[in-house]
Amino acid sequence: MEPAVREKPRLLPALWDAAIAAGIAFLLFCLVLGVRTVDGVYGLTLQPRPVLLAVVVGIVFFGRLALNLFWWDRDWRFPPLPFFSRTAKDAKDRAPRDIYRVGLVLIGFAAVFPLLGLVLNKVFGANLPLLYLIDLSILVLTYVMLGWGLNIVVGLAGLLDLGYVAFYAVGAYTFAILATTFGWSFWMCLPLAGILAAFWGIVLGFPVLRLRGDYLAIVTLAFGEIIRIVIQNWTELTGGPNGISNIPEPSFFGLEFAFRGDNTFHQFFGLPYDAIYGSIWLYYIILVMALITNAVTLRLRRLPIGRAWEALREDEIACRSLGMNTTTTKLSAFATGALFGGFAGSFFAARQSFISPESFTFIESAIILSIVVLGGMGSQLGVAIAAVVMIGGFEALRHTDSLQLVFGTGFDPTLYRMLFFGLAMVAIMVWRPRGLVSTRQPTVTLNKDAGSISKDLVSEGSG
Amino acid sequence: MSKALLEISGLVAGYGHLPVLHGIDLSVKEGEIAAIIGANGAGKTTLMMSIFGNPKPSAGRILFEGRDITDLPAHAVALERIAQSPEGRRIFPRMTVLENLQMGTLIAPDKERYEDDLGHVFELFPVLATRKDQRAGTLSGGEQQMLAIARALMGQPRLLLLDEPSLGLAPLITRQIFAAIKALNEEGLTVLLVEQNAYHALKLASCGYVMVNGRITLSGSGTELLESDEVRRSYLEGGASSPSADEAKKGAKA
Ligand SMILES: Nc1ncnc2c1ncn2[C@@H]1O[C@H](COP(=O)(O)OP(=O)(O)O)[C@@H](O)[C@H]1O
Ligand SMILES: [Mg+2]
């Protein structure tokens, strides 16, 4: 009823407003879009493009009009998102349980998805692009693990680390070098790679102990670059820009996933050869490694050291005056984060079977950091979702034809990766400035009775 | 006479090459409340922080129970069981009240006493008990100050340093905080209190120091200082501190 009555008087001001916006757009664009310089036979000439200009100004006019009429004055709201409820009270009571539940569902899905796909394909003759899906999931899970690892440093301890890729590189090269020169297996090298990365974490930690915020960020950034450049130039050890190839894949309890060999997986189980088995095995390795990272982080958060990291993030001076040794606390955060980065690096090398310094540029650090920031610093579920969206969602875009329809056949969304990252960042910072999942679960509570009493009192007090 | 718990002599400290403290001598006896009063920028906070080694003293000695703690790093000083409620409270805003209190137990020698200590601080500041699962950053200023003191107490300290606990608080809350300090002292805790609110601090203290530009210019018992001309002139009467003069009258009636 009401809107119909109100509509008439609102139309004129809306038109007026839209006209002003269109006028501004015309002024702005008449030189930018309206004319184009052409390098012709007679030198530079101007070619007018009135149609394009008219289209753009038209879009602004009608867009603004539509916003005026239907959007800004709307008397309905978006229904609240199920898991990210807005009201503080709701969030307080429900969020931890919801997060836990969503996490369990996601883990359950991740655990059965490749086998489910395999059964669908092999038994029911479905035609899923399983190899592609699993490879993509492996990529996503690698970033989930890296995100969780960096989350310890950035999210929990609050140390802004822009050089995390250095530890990823150390892990990858440790495994690659040991495996190709001594023929050591993945499982033997994995702990070594982690320990070596953790060691470098401590080495980096020492000089930056006194630094905070932007200064810390700059030094860690430089550290990442130093490691990469050393790798690039230490040709005898690392192969320099040529990298290291023929890195062996992890074996399945001694069985290889090769097509031919003495001890291959498919022969042992009497199956026809299929590359999918190797991929599935890799998938489960990275899934388990990522979940271990998560479990360790969640456990550490409940231990004094994890609490100390969080306190350090909040206030360093207070920590010191409470008797915390901030030096060892910071170093342990760097080392733990680096440890998981090193594990992930080994896995990366084993999976790619070829590594070169190009895989460890600053952009990798930036991607991992943006996953942590987008996810909501310190939130495990948020980081996982951010990794899925940023890496997986993005790769998936590449294969949607609709985008090609809009932007032309040559359109490759992966070229605009950074643009999308930036847009996602801006969107998150506008709508959820603390990241996707911003609730922090307390790690201690008193016994239940006291808890319920206090909760009543709290809501009374705040109401 | 009881012996000195904290003994500071000839302490010089500052930032960079600029000294802020020019040879401070003071001592805090076991079981007493000592108060340092002084205007903004006199160096009170610098003194508190340099006990914790930051800024590092460039001359002078700090003895605690006769042990030299001058050159210890901050966390080692705390392990001597000196606890501090620093200026600006410095609670952990994103952690809950309870987690904040737990962070205070790092230096506690007897971890078994945790529950008792918790009960004790909740008795002292009942409002904290009702807020214990609330994020500390959402507490009011007074509650945050109470939390900062409670957190310091969780370490079972022998000496409690308080840097301007009344800063920015309403008179009623200030009185509550000072009552709590008094109660703690009556239980045997030694307190070194830094305050601009000279009236409250000196009324409570058995021993007071006046700090001006990094030097102790006057010292004596709390009541002596309250009656001294210099203190009355500079810290109790005139412009900014007239409300506390009013309170002085009220206090005298009560
Ligand atoms: N971090 C610092 N760096 C340099 N100068 C400082 C610092 N902190 C305090 N000061 C200076 O030291 C002097 C004493 O400050 P402070 O100890 O905070 O005084 P008060 O606590 O008595 O108000 C002031 O002149 C102040 O400018
Ligand atoms: Mg001060």
Side-chain angles (χ1 to χ4, degrees):
Chain A
M1 303 278 122
E2 282 262 335
V5 182
R6 268 183 12 214
E7 198 132 340
K8 248 199 175 145
R10 271 169 53 223
L11 187 62
L12 259 183
L15 275 173
W16 179 235
D17 178 76
I20 291 176
I24 293 172
F26 176 78
L27 288 179
L28 274 177
F29 289 125
C30 67
L31 287 180
V32 180
L33 293 175
V35 288
R36 177 184 183 191
T37 51
V38 185
D39 199 1
V41 207
Y42 309 107
L44 282 180
T45 51
L46 289 181
Q47 179 195 16
R49 294 191 292 185
V51 178
L52 181 68
L53 185 62
V55 167
V56 169
V57 171
I59 289 175
V60 169
F61 178 80
F62 287 107
R64 181 90 185 174
L65 190 63
L67 283 177
N68 264 318
L69 289 182
F70 306 117
W71 188 253
W72 287 322
D73 254 10
R74 70 191 190 280
D75 39 18
W76 52 275
R77 290 175 141 265
F78 282 112
L81 293 172
F83 300 118
F84 310 116
S85 49
R86 287 217 161 189
T87 61
K89 195 160 174 288
D90 272 12
K92 202 169 181 173
D93 294 345
R94 278 217 314 261
R97 250 185 307 145
D98 281 344
I99 288 174
Y100 186 68
R101 243 184 265 153
V102 174
L104 278 187
V105 169
L106 287 181
I107 292 173
F109 176 74
V112 298
F113 140 73
L115 293 181
L116 196 69
L118 196 64
V119 168
L120 281 178
N121 266 7
K122 298 260 160 173
V123 181
F124 297 100
N127 212 3
L128 298 171
L130 200 54
L131 197 59
Y132 167 72
L133 285 179
I134 288 179
D135 275 345
L136 179 57
S137 311
I138 291 174
L139 186 71
V140 169
L141 283 173
T142 312
Y143 279 95
V144 170
M145 176 166 178
L146 286 168
W148 279 341
L150 184 62
N151 200 14
I152 294 175
V153 185
V154 179
L156 287 188
L159 304 164
L160 186 52
D161 185 349
L162 287 182
Y164 192 61
V165 76
F167 310 120
Y168 190 45
V170 167
Y173 271 89
T174 307
F175 170 57
I177 293 168
L178 291 177
T180 50
T181 45
F182 301 111
W184 291 6
S185 78
F186 177 74
W187 299 111
M188 257 164 83
C189 297
L190 189 65
L192 285 177
I195 289 167
L196 207 62
F199 167 75
W200 281 105
I202 293 173
V203 169
L204 166 66
F206 265 110
V208 301
L209 276 175
R210 294 164 155 274
L211 304 180
R212 287 192 72 76
D214 21 14
Y215 298 99
L216 176 67
I218 289 170
V219 175
T220 52
L221 189 155
F223 182 79
E225 285 300 284
I226 290 171
I227 293 266
R228 186 176 63 84
I229 289 167
V230 166
I231 288 174
Q232 194 152 4
N233 290 289
W234 196 352
T235 318
E236 304 91 79
L237 186 71
T238 64
N242 296 331
I244 300 178
S245 46
N246 292 325
I247 305 167
E249 285 203 338
S251 62
F252 182 77
F253 303 103
L255 299 174
E256 308 286 334
F257 287 97
F259 179 58
R260 254 177 247 281
D262 308 326
N263 226 351
T264 63
F265 179 85
H266 65 281
Q267 282 169 350
F268 186 85
F269 286 99
L271 298 163
Y273 174 76
D274 192 335
I276 198 94
Y277 303 128
S279 284
I280 292 182
W281 176 230
L282 284 173
Y283 174 90
Y284 279 111
I285 291 177
I286 187 65
L287 179 64
V288 168
M289 278 169 56
L291 288 180
I292 288 175
T293 312
N294 180 37
V296 169
T297 309
L298 290 181
R299 182 88 195 103
L300 283 176
R301 260 199 66 198
R302 277 156 208 282
L303 293 179
I305 183 68
R307 199 97 44 71
W309 289 337
E310 285 194 87
L312 194 64
R313 176 189 65 196
E314 310 268 284
D315 197 318
E316 197 173 333
I317 292 180
C319 284
R320 261 190 252 127
S321 70
L322 291 173
M324 184 195 299
N325 186 341
T326 50
T327 305
T328 50
T329 308
K330 273 190 191 179
L331 288 181
S332 64
F334 272 120
T336 315
L339 178 78
F340 291 113
F343 288 153
S346 298
F347 175 82
F348 175 77
R351 180 213 167 199
Q352 296 280 323
S353 86
F354 166 75
I355 53 169
S356 74
E358 267 168 54
S359 309
F360 307 105
T361 50
F362 168 67
I363 210 75
E364 291 296 316
S365 292
I367 290 174
I368 303 166
L369 185 67
S370 44
I371 286 174
V372 173
V373 173
L374 289 178
M377 303 216 263
S379 155
Q380 298 295 96
L381 178 66
V383 168
I385 293 176
V388 171
V389 171
M390 296 312 291
I391 307 295
F394 210 67
E395 281 290 321
L397 273 187
R398 195 212 294 255
H399 298 269
T400 39
D401 298 335
S402 53
L403 280 175
Q404 251 110 27
L405 278 181
V406 179
F407 294 106
T409 41
F411 181 75
D412 178 4
T414 46
L415 292 179
Y416 299 88
R417 202 184 170 85
M418 284 301 123
L419 187 68
F420 277 88
F421 262 116
L423 282 178
M425 281 280 193
V426 171
I428 291 275
M429 290 309 128
V430 170
W431 282 297
R432 298 199 64 85
R434 283 155 175 271
L436 281 174
V437 183
S438 57
T439 38
R440 177 191 167 276
Q441 279 170 264
T443 52
V444 278
T445 39
L446 283 182
N447 54 57
K448 272 182 197 133
D449 289 8
S452 60
I453 289 169
S454 84
K455 214 167 241 166
D456 296 342
L457 287 169
V458 168
S459 44
E460 238 170 61
S462 65
Chain B
M1 271 261 59
S2 51
K3 65 182 166 56
L5 188 64
L6 181 76
E7 182 99 60
I8 297 177
S9 50
L11 191 76
V12 179
Y15 304 95
H17 291 293
L18 200 79
V20 172
L21 305 177
H22 311 272
I24 300 286
D25 298 294
L26 66 82
S27 75
V28 184
K29 291 195 195 64
E30 179 117 46
E32 76 171 358
I33 298 181
I36 304 174
I37 60 169
N40 262 330
K44 306 180 297 294
T45 300
T46 306
L47 173 64
M48 290 299 225
M49 297 307 287
S50 67
I51 294 174
F52 277 83
N54 178 31
K56 238 183 178 35
S58 53
R61 292 214 304 165
I62 306 170
L63 299 180
F64 183 69
E65 293 182 308
R67 289 188 300 279
D68 190 340
I69 60 163
T70 321
D71 295 320
L72 293 184
H75 65 95
V77 173
L79 284 173
E80 294 282 332
R81 291 172 68 197
I82 303 178
Q84 187 186 24
S85 157
E87 184 176 50
R89 297 149 200 161
R90 292 189 175 274
I91 47 128
F92 302 119
R94 283 181 65 180
M95 298 176 134
T96 65
V97 167
L98 199 58
E99 286 171 322
N100 266 273
L101 293 175
Q102 280 217 334
M103 289 309 300
T105 61
L106 284 173
I107 60 168
D110 182 2
K111 308 276 186 214
E112 303 293 304
R113 258 177 54 190
Y114 169 68
E115 297 282 335
D116 296 343
D117 289 342
L118 205 58
H120 180 225
V121 298
F122 283 163
E123 208 175 294
L124 198 63
F125 302 116
V127 64
L128 291 184
T130 68
R131 304 277 152 129
K132 68 185 168 19
D133 295 322
Q134 193 173 327
R135 287 197 308 138
T138 61
L139 296 177
S140 74
E143 289 159 354
Q144 289 190 10
Q145 183 58 57
M146 293 175 192
L147 178 59
I149 297 175
R151 184 180 65 179
L153 291 175
M154 291 302 287
Q156 303 158 8
R158 310 241 338 179
L159 172 65
L160 179 64
L161 307 184
L162 298 172
D163 195 342
E164 304 214 26
S166 74
L167 191 70
L169 301 184
L172 182 68
I173 309 286
T174 304
R175 266 197 290 277
Q176 271 180 33
I177 300 245
F178 279 98
I181 297 171
K182 188 164 180 222
L184 284 169
N185 179 249
E186 277 160 7
E187 291 166 15
L189 184 65
T190 316
V191 179
L192 174 57
L193 174 69
V194 158
E195 261 299 336
Q196 283 191 57
N197 194 329
Y199 169 71
H200 274 295
L202 291 177
K203 207 164 146 263
L204 206 60
S206 44
C207 159
Y209 298 87
V210 177
M211 188 189 272
V212 178
N213 289 332
R215 291 189 172 82
I216 301 288
T217 54
L218 199 62
S219 66
S221 77
T223 30
E224 268 169 38
L225 287 187
L226 264 181
E227 277 153 19
S228 84
D229 277 347
E230 185 186 334
V231 172
R232 294 190 78 90
R233 203 173 43 243
S234 310
Y235 302 102
L236 293 179
E237 278 148 30
S241 36
S242 49
S244 48
D246 287 349
E247 269 181 37
K249 277 176 216 146
K250 266 187 235 155
K253 265 185 228 160

